[in-house]
Amino acid sequence: MAAGSSDLESLSPPRAWPICWPEPAREGSGGGRAEPGSFRAAGREHRLGWTAGGGPLAAHRDGGGGEERRETGYFALARSLLDGRAPGARSRRHHRQPRPGPLPPVQPAAEPEGGGDNDLLGQLIRDLNEINEVPFFDIQLPYELALKIFQYLGRTELGRCAQVSRTWKVLAEDEVLWYRLCQQEGYLPDASISDCSCWKLALQDCRAKECALRTNWKNRIGAVSQLQYELGKVLCDVHSCDGVVIAGYTSGDVRLWDTRTWDYTAPILEPVHGSADPGPQPHVSFVRINSSLAVAAYEDGTVNVWSLMIGREPIHHYQHNQRIQALALGLEGAVIATASGFQVKVESPDDRGYWQTIAEFEIQKLVNFLHLVPDVVGSPVTIAAAEDMVYLLKAEESSKVLHSVYGLPVTCLDVSPSEAAFGVKGFGWLLNETNKILLYNLETGQCLTKLGSSLGDFTCVNLQNSPPWMLVTGNKDRRVRVYDLRRSKSLCSLYAHHLGVSAVQMDDWKIVSGGEEGLVCVWDQRMGTKLWEMHARHPVRHIWFNTHSLITANIPDEKNPRGASIMDDDLTAHRRHRGIIYAYEFSVDQLARESVLPICRSSYDEVTGYNYNIGLAVPYDNILVT
């Protein structure tokens, strides 16, 4: 076939092989220009070995028919891989090519034994699967070491690693990794790794329940119940721990409720002085409870201690000569601190279970606030605020003054394992001494920071239950403030209660505050907006909540109201004065339609009704009377 210019233009070089163009001859060299005929011969010789797109072409004939069959796509790629040749790489850039040069020879593709399209495709799939395996973790590293590396990844990173290959998927879905994630995020803290067959699904379920609980909190979906005792007894003090509520009354009775099981028939804790003693029983001044003990202090200086595991009878009893001004109970263990007059006494059982006084301290002023430092190893540490002085009291050591400024009394106190926060009343704007919150380190005894500058007194502070590096306070100026302890600045200020804030607690996203007017408000801390509120008579003195429940107590200031007596026959007249405890449950098990908190709390089961029996959940809710 005669070679012409049209033949040279019709022959395109293969794209899989690198194109080598001969350089033009330089002056003084013996080389010359290549003739076009050499390119024609090379192109004609290898034309059947390449496809039009540059991929390898298996040229073979069917059974002697002499008819060629072209193979493209995966079959051509598979043949090139089996023959040991590199697959064709197409150039992504269309640049001007120089003149073509000689091409390397191409060996004809050999037909595999038992050749068939299915066998060839299966071999290709097996080769690709081998390529996806990561030899870095399969060969060079043991499985335990690779698992140790994966422990530093979070949920999102583990999900991405599971999409890399089969080996990484097995590593990323190991039960040890997802069990550690559950523990780190606070889900199922008491469970062991053998308690669940799939910890990844367990973590997903826990996060879904947490999202549903947050939705119920925001939309006020749940159930509310009143923890009532009986008519004619005024509520004196309330405390709670992990859903167990203890309350003391003016009749001297101490009552327990377990809201975790909604057991409203819990027994009454009997005092040492029985009903046979003549005369009225002393009022209950303070009550405290933890996971194992319940403590009550009375007006006559008596202190009774009950074990929640044994029964109604007290396991310990001791007496002060004067009225008890403050009572503290450790979060864990059996340590009790009481303040009466100028004396602070600390009681605890020994190794054999016999209670004894482990420390007594004499201080200069009357104690207003008393707290035991949690998580202390060894001798218990007590923080006492007496007027304008704050003491650090440790057994077997003398009392230490943590803070003292004459004429600046302490208005509130709370402690954490390493710090103490308390409010200090100032002289006012004239002397440039406003009310502040002071934060002290308990180990060094040094003041870490001073927070706030307000005309109103700080009435409550919560450091122990707040998120790390955060603190929430309530003030008489009607505001709830959240502080960042690292920057010593206020993160948000919420206008809450028109008579002042009396109790407050927060977690990572919400704040619950109570006021002197009896209003309980739930706030979104990040948005700074009020979600909902509930109202009851008397100031809110106690607030406690966890992820799914809320307990509030409205305690009257007047324990002996005028015009009402415990011995009166018409005990319904005493209803408005006795105080009340509310237990809210926002569990996801509640049905949304049946669990919306009621607007009106009246039960309509009483013979005689009064206007104060109709209590609206939200004061500005509209009621249509037909």
Side-chain angles (χ1 to χ4, degrees):
M1 183 176 183
S5 60
S6 60
D7 295 336
L8 182 60
E9 295 174 357
S10 62
L11 287 175
S12 60
R15 298 183 182 180
W17 295 95
I19 302 175
C20 301
W21 305 106
E23 297 181 358
R26 300 178 180 178
E27 296 181 0
S29 63
R33 288 184 174 272
E35 296 295 331
S38 62
F39 293 102
R40 300 191 192 112
R44 189 180 302 109
E45 180 179 357
H46 300 292
R47 179 181 297 179
L48 297 179
W50 298 87
T51 64
L57 172 66
H60 58 276
R61 302 182 182 275
D62 296 337
E67 185 177 1
E68 295 182 356
R69 180 165 61 92
R70 292 171 175 261
E71 293 183 359
T72 60
Y74 286 110
F75 291 102
L77 177 61
R79 288 187 184 280
S80 64
L81 292 174
L82 292 176
D83 294 340
R85 299 193 304 273
R90 300 188 178 185
S91 176
R92 296 186 179 180
R93 298 183 178 179
H94 301 281
H95 55 276
R96 184 176 180 181
Q97 299 285 353
R99 298 181 62 184
L103 301 175
V106 180
Q107 299 295 332
E111 185 77 13
E113 297 182 0
D117 296 343
N118 295 332
D119 296 339
L120 205 57
L121 183 59
Q123 180 65 29
L124 174 63
I125 294 175
R126 288 191 294 271
D127 292 341
L128 293 178
N129 287 337
E130 292 179 359
I131 295 174
N132 285 337
E133 299 296 335
V134 182
F136 182 71
F137 287 114
D138 294 341
I139 300 175
Q140 299 182 9
L141 285 181
Y143 183 85
E144 291 78 8
L145 186 55
L147 195 65
K148 184 67 175 178
I149 297 175
F150 273 58
Q151 287 181 358
Y152 294 96
L153 303 179
R155 300 187 311 271
T156 306
E157 290 80 5
L158 288 177
R160 293 172 180 172
C161 291
Q163 303 176 10
V164 174
S165 65
R166 294 180 180 178
T167 304
W168 282 41
K169 181 178 176 63
V170 173
L171 279 171
E173 294 185 352
D174 193 279
E175 296 299 323
V176 176
L177 299 178
W178 292 98
Y179 171 74
R180 288 172 60 90
L181 285 177
C182 280
Q183 298 295 310
Q184 291 174 2
E185 297 188 13
Y187 302 121
L188 306 176
D190 300 331
S192 61
I193 193 172
S194 60
D195 293 342
C196 184
S197 60
C198 183
W199 281 99
K200 182 178 180 180
L201 294 179
L203 180 60
Q204 293 177 353
D205 294 341
C206 291
R207 290 182 61 85
K209 290 181 180 180
E210 181 183 10
C211 182
L213 282 172
R214 180 171 298 192
T215 302
N216 291 349
W217 269 93
K218 292 183 177 181
N219 297 326
R220 205 175 65 173
I221 298 176
V224 58
S225 300
Q226 297 181 9
L227 306 184
Q228 295 183 351
Y229 181 40
E230 61 181 89
L231 300 178
K233 297 184 171 98
V234 178
L235 189 62
C236 294
D237 194 23
V238 176
H239 195 249
S240 60
C241 177
D242 295 334
V244 181
V245 184
I246 183 173
Y249 294 85
T250 54
S251 60
D253 294 334
V254 179
R255 179 70 185 271
L256 284 177
W257 292 272
D258 190 353
T259 61
R260 298 170 298 184
T261 58
W262 298 103
D263 183 10
Y264 297 144
T265 60
I268 303 173
L269 300 180
E270 297 179 357
V272 172
H273 43 77
S275 58
D277 295 342
Q281 304 296 333
H283 295 182
V284 177
S285 301
F286 303 97
V287 291
R288 295 292 183 269
I289 191 172
N290 62 10
S291 58
S292 59
L293 295 179
V295 185
Y298 297 84
E299 291 286 337
D300 61 350
T302 304
V303 179
N304 288 329
V305 183
W306 296 271
S307 173
L308 300 182
M309 305 299 176
I310 295 178
R312 301 183 179 183
E313 296 295 330
I315 61 173
H316 181 52
H317 164 82
Y318 64 97
Q319 181 77 36
H320 279 280
N321 296 328
Q322 302 179 27
R323 178 181 176 272
I324 296 177
Q325 286 127 11
L327 171 67
L329 176 64
L331 291 180
E332 299 293 339
V335 181
I336 302 170
T338 54
S340 176
F342 300 99
Q343 182 186 44
V344 176
K345 182 182 292 187
V346 181
E347 299 269 333
S348 180
D350 57 12
D351 298 336
R352 297 177 297 176
Y354 293 103
W355 285 80
Q356 59 183 356
T357 302
I358 60 175
E360 287 190 22
F361 303 94
E362 294 291 336
I363 58 178
Q364 302 175 5
K365 300 181 180 180
L366 297 178
V367 175
N368 306 108
F369 306 98
L370 192 65
H371 285 272
L372 283 167
V373 179
D375 304 332
V376 174
V377 179
S379 301
V381 179
T382 307
I383 305 297
E387 298 183 6
D388 54 6
M389 302 180 68
V390 179
Y391 294 90
L392 190 148
L393 309 176
K394 188 174 182 180
E396 302 176 357
E397 296 181 9
S398 59
S399 60
K400 176 183 177 182
V401 177
L402 193 66
H403 168 82
S404 177
V405 177
Y406 182 77
L408 302 181
V410 176
T411 57
C412 56
L413 172 68
D414 195 23
V415 298
S416 68
S418 60
E419 298 169 336
F422 49 89
V424 176
K425 183 179 178 60
F427 291 116
W429 289 102
L430 296 178
L431 299 179
N432 198 20
E433 285 290 340
T434 55
N435 304 310
K436 297 181 181 297
I437 293 288
L438 304 185
L439 184 68
Y440 273 78
N441 186 291
L442 298 181
E443 296 181 0
T444 63
Q446 300 296 322
C447 181
L448 300 178
T449 183
K450 297 182 180 180
L451 306 172
S453 180
S454 172
L455 279 179
D457 298 343
F458 286 97
T459 55
C460 53
V461 58
N462 196 316
L463 174 65
Q464 183 175 340
N465 298 322
S466 299
W469 303 106
M470 298 183 71
L471 178 145
V472 60
T473 65
N475 200 292
K476 280 187 177 181
D477 63 358
R478 315 172 190 178
R479 291 190 176 274
V480 174
R481 293 178 175 87
V482 178
Y483 292 97
D484 187 347
L485 301 181
R486 290 169 293 187
R487 299 185 299 170
S488 300
K489 294 183 178 179
S490 175
L491 296 179
C492 64
S493 178
L494 309 173
Y495 187 85
H497 307 275
H498 65 274
L499 292 182
V501 184
S502 56
V504 67
Q505 184 182 338
M506 70 173 296
D507 60 7
D508 57 345
W509 71 273
K510 65 178 177 294
I511 302 172
V512 180
S513 63
E516 294 286 344
E517 75 285 351
L519 198 65
V520 175
C521 301
V522 180
W523 307 80
D524 190 322
Q525 184 260 330
R526 297 176 182 176
M527 300 297 295
T529 57
K530 185 187 295 185
L531 299 176
W532 50 273
E533 59 186 18
M534 301 286 283
H535 182 266
R537 190 182 295 271
H538 306 300
V540 180
R541 299 301 182 191
H542 176 73
I543 287 178
W544 177 89
F545 68 84
N546 57 11
T547 57
H548 59 85
S549 61
L550 168 66
I551 295 173
T552 64
N554 298 75
I555 302 175
D557 293 330
E558 183 63 40
K559 308 304 180 185
N560 297 310
R562 293 180 300 174
S565 173
I566 297 179
M567 306 303 296
D568 288 344
D569 295 333
D570 185 13
L571 297 179
T572 57
H574 217 42
R575 178 186 179 96
R576 70 179 72 184
H577 306 292
R578 68 172 182 253
I580 195 168
I581 306 171
Y582 285 109
Y584 304 84
E585 178 63 34
F586 301 95
S587 175
V588 294
D589 299 333
Q590 302 286 339
L591 297 178
R593 179 175 300 179
E594 299 177 358
S595 60
V596 176
L597 300 181
I599 296 177
C600 184
R601 297 195 185 96
S602 300
S603 58
Y604 308 108
D605 56 356
E606 299 180 5
V607 178
T608 306
Y610 301 90
N611 56 353
Y612 54 83
N613 291 344
I614 303 177
L616 299 182
V618 181
Y620 46 78
D621 281 347
N622 295 324
I623 298 180
L624 180 61
V625 180
T626 58

